[in-house]
Amino acid sequence: MVEQVFKFSTGNEKAVEKLIMDENVHYIHMVFNKEEGLPEHYSNSNVYMSVIRGKLSIDLDDQGVHKYDAGNLLKIPKGIKMNVKNLDEDTLELIVVKSPAPSNM
């Protein structure tokens, strides 16, 4: 078998699953319920954030919270202050890709 297979959760429980963390890319699956999210931090690479389900509430560089529905893909440059939350009732599911991998920048 040439391919590698990575499994991720499919439920509604909070999850931050670091599926691929190699020298090329970081690929992370996240699930957050209402009022859950990430601690405020600065992006350590270019971040590509896909909203799979629910509604993402994100504040970038203190510009105020913007909301994005499922089907949106955000591109966030390195060095941006990020505050990622789920402020809505529905479960939020994200795929986050960091490229290049932070250790290579």
Side-chain angles (χ1 to χ4, degrees):
M1 192 158 105
V2 175
E3 72 276 8
Q4 285 183 280
V5 178
F6 302 88
K7 288 194 144 298
F8 55 90
S9 64
T10 57
N12 292 330
E13 296 298 315
K14 180 179 179 178
V16 177
E17 300 171 302
K18 297 176 179 179
L19 300 170
I20 302 172
M21 303 294 279
D22 66 20
E23 66 279 359
N24 299 307
V25 69
H26 289 184
Y27 187 101
I28 307 161
H29 174 248
M30 300 180 185
V31 177
F32 298 116
N33 291 298
K34 186 172 183 179
E35 303 301 327
E36 295 176 337
L38 298 173
E40 186 174 89
H41 65 285
Y42 287 85
S43 56
N44 58 358
S45 181
N46 298 311
V47 176
Y48 303 88
M49 190 174 288
S50 300
V51 184
I52 304 304
R53 63 182 165 128
K55 188 176 288 192
L56 169 66
S57 296
I58 189 166
D59 183 2
L60 300 171
D61 273 350
D62 297 320
Q63 68 179 5
V65 173
H66 289 87
K67 292 190 174 191
Y68 298 95
D69 292 318
N72 281 281
L73 170 65
L74 285 69
K75 179 182 176 185
I76 303 163
K78 181 182 179 188
I80 300 298
K81 184 163 74 169
M82 303 174 64
N83 195 335
V84 176
K85 297 262 187 258
N86 179 4
L87 300 177
D88 292 279
E89 292 297 325
D90 293 335
T91 300
L92 169 65
E93 183 175 9
L94 304 168
I95 297 293
V96 175
V97 177
K98 295 182 180 184
S99 178
S103 61
N104 289 341
M105 292 188 71

